[in-house]
Amino acid sequence: MKLLIIAVISIVIGVVYVKFNKLTCPLPLPVFDTNRYWGSDEVANYKPDETIKPFKVEVNKEEIIELQQQLNRTFKYTKPLEGINFEYGFNSIALAGIVKYWRDSYLPKWVERENYLNKLPQYTTEIQGLKIHFIHAKPSKETAAQKKVIPLLLLHGWPGSVREFYDFIPILTDANSMSDYAFEVIAPSLVGYGWSDAAAKTGFNAAEMAIVMRNLMLRVGHEKFLVQGGDWGSIIGGLVATIFPDNVYGYHSNMCMLNTPLSTIKQIIASFAPEKFLPSRFFYEHHFPTLEKLAFLIEESGYFHIQATKPDTVGTALANSPIGLAAYILEKFQVSTGVGLNQKSNALDKVFTIDAVLDNVMIYYLSNTIVSSVRFYAENVAKEFRSLHLDRVQSPVSMGCARFKNDLPPALDWQLRDKYPNLIHSKYFNQAGHFAALEVPVMLYIDFAEFVNKINFEK
């Protein structure tokens, strides 16, 4: 009888081990078609155009006048409930004030804003049947003579745009004492965002986006480069480092997340003794309490579910209502200003400036890309992408992580090393949030420069 019990226990342990190992072990890299066609015509009729063309933001005056007229209509704002600020979404009283500024102050100076958006050199080129828009900013000849110049792929997310980088890029390309390096920055509008084409076919997920971004870097002449990103830019950047490790010197993220069974198990374990997994008790609130962080994610992710299931419905509503578009986008920037401040009507101006966030709204409005941008969520929850389990495919690339307090809950180093065993840089900040490049460009640069200084470029 004892032998039978021992045998049964052994079988159970063996089955549990096999199941656990199957759920948690690293997986091999799937095979990808790195030249898959995403354009609107039949691939048989496709003639690649590899030229790189200069680009400028040029908006017809009539389009600005039409927007002013739309904003001049009498809109029905619903009064907030008593005692409610931004808990139910973007406060309608604050929104009315922003719309008034947008109509009466911002749009009359549109030429000035257009010139600002054109201050960085921009181009378009065709990749896999799609016109890709990108900023390409190089260090001056004087800087290049003082510093070693390294190419950098800089990636934004949703509901952001390349506008997030307008204060960050000049710091990256300049000579300063923080680093021996200066950076040649390529900052594309993601496919379906800004002035980049949207994919005409289903299946364009983060892995396919990573392939297009890497092919863009090859197009501009860089076989090897650094990658930096937040939000979708972090996820896409991590996939560039995973699918094309031989092309990447290093990958730096300001949204370090990992979604695997093993990562979830480790988060639960760490919640019982957080001090064992943190460099300091002052960073406890970045990760814990776990249940509070989970509640926050549930509370703030309603938009994700809508965009992942019915993107065209919400997208069409937003595309045809500039005020609705502004409320939907600005609410995400409002939340990112941090607990307490995100309930204040002056939070956006205090953290970002109203002109900066309206520039971002205008990019979505003028390019008419809100529908295509939110479709990206649906493609990334589709079975085709989820079945790849790319978070369980390790990348040997040097990785750096910057965690800002007001951002989404990040992964611990203990979790990150499952995917990035060469995690060489990890830092915490007790301020700033999700849009770090826009909010604290100098702070983000300092962290990025510290990471780059640790990379062994001779390998």
Side-chain angles (χ1 to χ4, degrees):
M1 188 66 179
K2 287 184 179 180
L3 290 175
L4 179 61
I5 293 172
I6 292 171
V8 170
I9 292 173
S10 299
I11 291 171
V12 170
I13 292 173
V15 170
V16 170
Y17 173 79
V18 169
K19 292 288 186 182
F20 178 81
N21 190 59
K22 186 177 179 181
L23 281 173
T24 60
C25 68
L27 297 176
L29 179 67
V31 176
F32 292 95
D33 178 358
T34 58
N35 288 297
R36 188 173 174 183
Y37 177 73
W38 294 101
S40 56
D41 296 329
E42 293 298 324
V43 66
N45 301 324
Y46 174 55
K47 294 181 180 179
D49 179 2
E50 297 185 359
T51 58
I52 297 175
K53 302 170 184 177
F55 174 88
K56 277 195 170 185
V57 179
E58 294 178 328
V59 181
N60 291 330
K61 185 177 180 181
E62 291 74 19
E63 195 166 357
I64 299 301
I65 292 172
E66 181 188 4
L67 177 56
Q68 284 180 302
Q69 291 171 345
Q70 288 192 67
L71 297 179
N72 204 35
R73 290 167 49 200
T74 301
F75 284 91
K76 297 178 181 178
Y77 295 103
T78 301
K79 185 179 178 181
L81 295 173
E82 293 180 6
I84 292 297
N85 294 309
F86 289 83
E87 294 91 342
Y88 279 44
F90 206 87
N91 182 281
S92 59
I93 296 173
L95 180 62
I98 289 175
V99 170
K100 184 178 186 302
Y101 175 83
W102 191 7
R103 181 191 63 221
D104 298 340
S105 300
Y106 178 92
L107 289 178
K109 62 178 180 182
W110 171 250
V111 172
E112 174 189 320
R113 300 315 303 164
E114 189 175 75
N115 289 337
Y116 180 84
L117 292 174
N118 284 322
K119 76 173 189 173
L120 295 172
Q122 298 167 65
Y123 304 87
T124 61
T125 192
E126 194 175 288
I127 305 286
Q128 297 170 245
L130 301 171
K131 181 190 74 177
I132 304 299
H133 162 262
F134 61 100
I135 293 169
H136 192 169
K138 300 179 181 180
S140 66
K141 290 182 179 179
E142 293 76 15
T143 297
Q146 300 173 43
K147 305 282 186 177
K148 182 177 179 181
V149 177
I150 302 176
L152 167 64
L153 174 62
L154 184 59
L155 299 169
H156 70 84
W158 187 93
S161 66
V162 293
R163 175 59 182 88
E164 296 176 58
F165 303 135
Y166 271 61
D167 292 327
F168 188 39
I169 290 174
I171 307 171
L172 290 163
T173 58
D174 195 16
N176 59 72
S177 59
M178 279 300 303
S179 177
D180 294 331
Y181 305 99
F183 305 96
E184 178 181 336
V185 180
I186 295 87
S189 293
L190 298 180
V191 172
Y193 290 68
W195 290 281
S196 287
D197 283 349
K201 299 165 175 59
T202 60
F204 192 85
N205 51 50
E208 301 297 344
M209 185 80 80
I211 291 169
V212 171
M213 297 298 105
R214 176 264 195 170
N215 288 345
L216 172 64
M217 294 302 286
L218 298 183
R219 175 66 52 81
V220 298
H222 297 305
E223 291 281 343
K224 201 150 187 178
F225 47 87
L226 294 162
V227 184
Q228 201 288 325
D231 195 80
W232 279 124
S234 175
I235 294 168
I236 297 159
L239 290 174
V240 175
T242 300
I243 301 170
F244 306 107
D246 291 341
N247 293 118
V248 180
Y249 286 123
Y251 156 59
H252 181 272
S253 170
N254 57 285
M255 192 190 82
C256 316
M257 302 183 78
L258 197 61
N259 184 23
T260 66
L262 183 57
S263 179
T264 301
I265 292 169
K266 287 187 172 184
Q267 178 67 28
I268 294 170
I269 292 171
S271 67
F272 290 101
E275 68 280 358
K276 302 292 185 183
F277 302 93
L278 294 171
S280 167
R281 62 185 176 84
F282 296 109
F283 308 133
Y284 174 85
E285 291 182 0
H286 287 70
H287 302 276
F288 305 103
T290 297
L291 289 180
E292 284 187 16
K293 295 302 181 184
L294 179 60
F296 172 79
L297 287 175
I298 293 171
E299 182 179 342
E300 297 299 336
S301 62
Y303 78 96
F304 192 109
H305 187 75
I306 295 172
Q307 292 172 196
T309 54
K310 298 293 184 288
D312 285 20
T313 302
V314 66
T316 300
L318 299 174
N320 289 279
S321 171
I323 292 180
L325 179 67
Y328 198 73
I329 290 176
L330 295 181
E331 188 260 333
K332 300 306 168 201
F333 284 84
Q334 180 78 21
V335 170
S336 77
T337 60
V339 176
L341 184 58
N342 63 19
Q343 297 303 313
K344 305 291 185 182
S345 294
N346 67 341
L348 291 178
D349 199 36
K350 186 172 183 179
V351 174
F352 305 111
T353 79
I354 297 299
D355 279 357
V357 293
L358 284 178
D359 285 346
N360 185 66
V361 171
M362 287 293 285
I363 289 174
Y364 279 90
Y365 176 80
L366 295 170
S367 63
N368 192 28
T369 51
I370 189 62
V371 174
S372 54
S373 71
V374 298
R375 281 176 180 166
F376 193 52
Y377 286 75
E379 302 298 351
N380 284 291
V381 300
K383 185 178 180 180
E384 179 183 352
F385 181 68
R386 288 186 291 107
S387 64
L388 297 173
H389 300 293
L390 289 170
D391 268 357
R392 290 173 59 189
V393 179
Q394 290 186 328
S395 171
V397 169
S398 296
M399 196 267 184
C401 174
R403 301 173 180 87
F404 292 94
K405 187 175 182 179
N406 299 326
D407 203 351
L408 300 174
L412 296 156
D413 286 355
W414 187 38
Q415 296 164 300
L416 280 180
R417 286 196 176 93
D418 293 335
K419 179 169 178 61
Y420 302 102
N422 196 20
L423 177 66
I424 63 171
H425 176 81
S426 175
K427 201 150 185 187
Y428 287 80
F429 298 88
N430 273 329
Q431 63 266 78
H434 193 64
F435 303 95
L438 183 62
E439 182 180 354
V440 285
V442 174
M443 191 178 296
L444 182 60
Y445 169 79
I446 291 171
D447 190 76
F448 178 69
E450 288 180 2
F451 163 66
V452 173
N453 288 341
K454 296 175 183 177
I455 296 174
N456 180 5
F457 288 98
E458 304 305 319
K459 288 172 63 177

